[in-house]
Amino acid sequence: MAFDETTLGEMYTLLRQLAGGAVSLQSLADDFAAELDLAKDPLIGTAGLLLDGTEQTIYEHDGEGIPFKFEGGFVDLSTLIATDTVIIRVYATSGDGVNLQRLTIDAANTYTGVVDPPQITIPDVPPCSYVVRVTIECTAHVAFKTVYPHFYDAVRGS
């Protein structure tokens, strides 16, 4: 593993502070615990989501003013058949933290028929402390379909 000069300098400073009593192992552990922590979305391992023809939320993090990073994920569309069409949309609030803005374009995120491979990757979103929402809509279907979303995020201090 290679370190740049800044990282090595920070490590050296921390070691000097630790040796001199300016910091403690507990304070370093507390700082580490406050860093971003990768977490799985709670929907993983569930029975999936039954598509009903409306735009449905498959991931949402309300931000609560706490910095976090949406790391993306994927949606398993293996249950789609030739006559099915789904659209996946990603939204995030702008700098005001209130108004959701769509980050994806429908034409680029519309899947029709059997998808190969069936796992559709959802891209990550830059770190923020606002709302991130991912939705799915089945706009044409013969029968209700179940999809299986899997997402990962990282929340400071979780």
Side-chain angles (χ1 to χ4, degrees), residues 19 22 26 35 68 93-94 121 129 151:
Q26 183 60 49
E35 293 299 317
F68 82 103
T93 51
S94 59
T121 301
S129 57
F151 294 101

Side-chain angles (χ1 to χ4, degrees), residues 12-25 28:
Y12 178 73
T13 300
L14 283 173
L15 288 172
R16 283 186 43 169
Q17 290 172 346
L18 184 60
V23 296
S24 67
L25 287 176
L28 291 175

Side-chain angles (χ1 to χ4, degrees), residues 58-143:
I58 53 178
Y59 172 89
E60 185 168 18
H61 186 283
D62 61 10
E64 300 174 350
I66 299 170
F68 82 103
K69 172 96 171 78
F70 173 68
E71 293 287 346
F74 68 92
V75 178
D76 183 343
L77 300 179
S78 60
T79 61
L80 268 58
I81 61 172
T83 55
D84 293 327
T85 299
V86 296
I87 303 171
I88 297 174
R89 298 180 180 106
V90 178
Y91 301 87
T93 51
S94 59
D96 65 7
V98 177
N99 297 309
L100 281 173
Q101 307 290 321
R102 189 167 7 159
L103 302 179
T104 54
I105 300 168
D106 282 356
N109 293 285
T110 298
Y111 304 92
T112 300
V114 177
V115 180
D116 185 25
Q119 287 77 25
I120 303 304
T121 301
I122 309 298
D124 64 342
V125 173
C128 65
S129 57
Y130 306 121
V131 175
V132 172
R133 180 182 299 155
V134 180
T135 66
I136 189 167
E137 180 179 4
C138 190
T139 59
H141 60 281
V142 172

Side-chain angles (χ1 to χ4, degrees), residues 3 7 29-31 47 50 63 80 103 105 107 127 150 152:
F3 295 103
T7 303
D30 292 344
D31 289 344
L50 184 64
L80 268 58
L103 302 179
I105 300 168
H150 300 274
Y152 298 89

